[in-house]
C-alpha cells in the first residue's frame, strides 16, 4: 500500500514497538506512523515516528521497532505480522 503522505515513495509496513508490544504502521520513507493497525490510513491521521516514540518515553529511532510485513494494496487480503 502506498503512503498517503509521500505517495509512491514509501512502503507502509506493520511494525511492533519492541519495548511495549504495541503494533503500529510506519512509512519507510517519510517516517509517518499510524498508532493502530486497524485505523484508516490517511494523511490527516498520521503521526511522526520521532514524536510518537519520544512522547512514549522511548528513543526516537527505528531500532525501537520490529518490522513486519508490508501492507497489501487496497483490495488485497491483509497479511498480519
Amino acid at each position: 500500500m502506498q503512503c498517503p503522505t509521500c505517495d509512491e515513495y514509501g512502503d507502509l509496513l506493520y511494525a511492533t514497538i519492541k519495548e511495549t508490544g504495541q503494533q503500529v504502521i510506519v512509512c519507510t520513507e517519510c517516517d509517518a506512523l499510524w498508532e493502530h493497525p486497524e485505523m484508516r490510513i490517511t494523511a490527516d491521521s498520521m503521526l511522526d515516528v520521532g514524536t510518537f516514540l519520544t512522547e512514549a518515553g522511548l528513543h526516537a529511532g527505528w531500532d525501537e521497532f520490529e518490522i513486519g510485513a508490508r501492507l497489501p494494496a487496497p483490495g488485497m487480503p491483509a497479511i498480519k505480522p
Side-chain angles (χ1 to χ4, degrees):
M1 178 174 184
Q2 291 179 337
C3 176
T5 304
C6 66
D7 202 25
E8 76 262 8
Y9 298 109
D11 286 332
L12 294 182
L13 305 172
Y14 290 104
T16 302
I17 300 172
K18 293 176 184 176
E19 189 167 318
T20 65
Q22 180 180 353
Q23 293 185 339
V24 295
I25 293 173
V26 293
C27 175
T28 59
E29 181 65 27
C30 70
D31 289 350
L33 178 143
W34 290 267
E35 60 183 316
H36 302 288
E38 303 301 321
M39 74 187 299
R40 190 164 173 238
I41 306 299
T42 66
D44 292 337
S45 63
M46 64 78 72
L47 302 168
D48 173 72
V49 164
T51 302
F52 177 82
L53 291 171
T54 300
E55 288 178 358
L58 301 169
H59 168 73
W62 281 84
D63 56 332
E64 296 290 343
F65 296 110
E66 181 177 320
I67 301 299
R70 184 174 190 266
L71 266 69
M76 299 296 293
I79 299 171
K80 294 288 179 161

